[in-house]
Amino acid sequence: MEEEIVTLTRDMIACKEEAWCRFHERYYPLLLAQAIARGIPAADAPDIVQGVYLRVLRHGKAFRDSGNLEAWLACLTRCETIDAVRRSKRRSWLGERFQQWQEARRDVHAADITDLDQALESLDDSERRLLSRHYLEGWSQEEIASEQSTSTKAVESKLARLRRRLRGELENLNTCKS
């Protein structure tokens, strides 16, 4: 039996398909049970086992007995489970942030838009066109600089000054309303 483990693990390292089939037949139920025992839902457990298989492939070792191989597989299952839980938390954090951003966008009131329109009226046509091209039409600073025959840095500076002016105008409008 132990000679079988040596042969199995060496053949797996050599990427012999027959060895991987034997490995799957013998260890898939064990790995699936270990993933479920670690709190992974039964529907997600096959993904954990697939991750363990990839780790076995990447870090393959030749073992002399089944006890050591099974201990190593248990360790790999534990690591894969921990990594999967971390990935899911990261995804849900990003999802929450995106949802917050979407809700913040929906909360823009008509009064805010009216204030913005009023603040934009304080700019001349070329300044409004610059803001519109960059922020609404998606032109890059390089494209605008090329069109205006100026440097990218000059466009960047002008956009910064225009944002500052608009912010001041919006603050003045809000102060007058209060």
Side-chain angles (χ1 to χ4, degrees):
M1 168 105 169
E2 300 307 319
E3 186 60 39
E4 179 188 349
I5 296 297
V6 172
T7 304
L8 176 69
T9 55
R10 283 192 180 147
D11 287 351
M12 287 172 57
I13 292 169
C15 292
K16 293 185 179 177
E17 186 174 348
E18 185 182 310
W20 279 96
C21 289
R22 285 193 330 261
F23 175 79
H24 177 72
E25 288 173 18
R26 184 171 178 180
Y27 290 103
Y28 182 81
L30 173 70
L31 296 173
L32 199 61
Q34 287 178 349
I36 293 170
R38 294 200 165 273
I40 297 296
D44 296 335
D47 293 335
I48 298 298
V49 174
Q50 184 65 35
V52 172
Y53 282 8
L54 291 172
R55 288 174 188 247
V56 169
L57 179 64
R58 202 172 317 133
H59 308 289
K61 299 178 180 182
F63 287 90
R64 294 180 191 215
D65 61 74
S66 59
N68 287 338
L69 174 60
E70 289 174 11
W72 184 61
L73 291 173
C75 180
L76 294 180
T77 304
R78 177 183 166 272
C79 293
E80 186 62 29
T81 302
I82 290 168
D83 289 349
V85 169
R86 285 180 182 153
R87 280 189 300 269
S88 71
K89 285 181 182 176
R90 196 172 319 135
R91 274 195 302 270
S92 77
W93 178 82
L94 286 172
E96 287 173 18
R97 295 291 296 174
F98 180 73
Q99 187 176 6
Q100 288 171 354
W101 175 74
Q102 289 285 46
E103 289 171 5
R105 286 185 60 214
R106 273 187 244 122
D107 290 343
V108 173
H109 301 292
D112 294 337
I113 293 171
T114 304
D115 289 350
L116 180 60
D117 286 340
Q118 195 173 354
L120 285 170
E121 288 298 319
S122 69
L123 304 176
D124 65 39
D125 288 341
S126 66
E127 293 169 332
R128 277 195 301 274
R129 188 172 39 255
L130 174 65
L131 289 171
S132 174
R133 285 196 170 145
H134 185 63
Y135 294 108
L136 300 177
E137 298 171 24
W139 287 38
S140 70
Q141 293 177 0
E142 292 81 14
E143 291 170 324
I144 295 170
S146 175
E147 183 206 34
Q148 294 182 357
S149 301
T150 188
S151 70
T152 304
K153 189 66 179 169
V155 171
E156 182 182 330
S157 296
K158 186 157 193 169
L159 286 168
R161 284 193 303 275
L162 289 172
R163 284 192 307 268
R164 198 173 315 117
R165 269 182 52 199
L166 279 175
R167 201 170 16 254
E169 288 290 328
L170 289 169
E171 287 172 359
N172 286 340
L173 289 171
N174 286 331
T175 303
C176 292
K177 287 181 181 180
S178 298

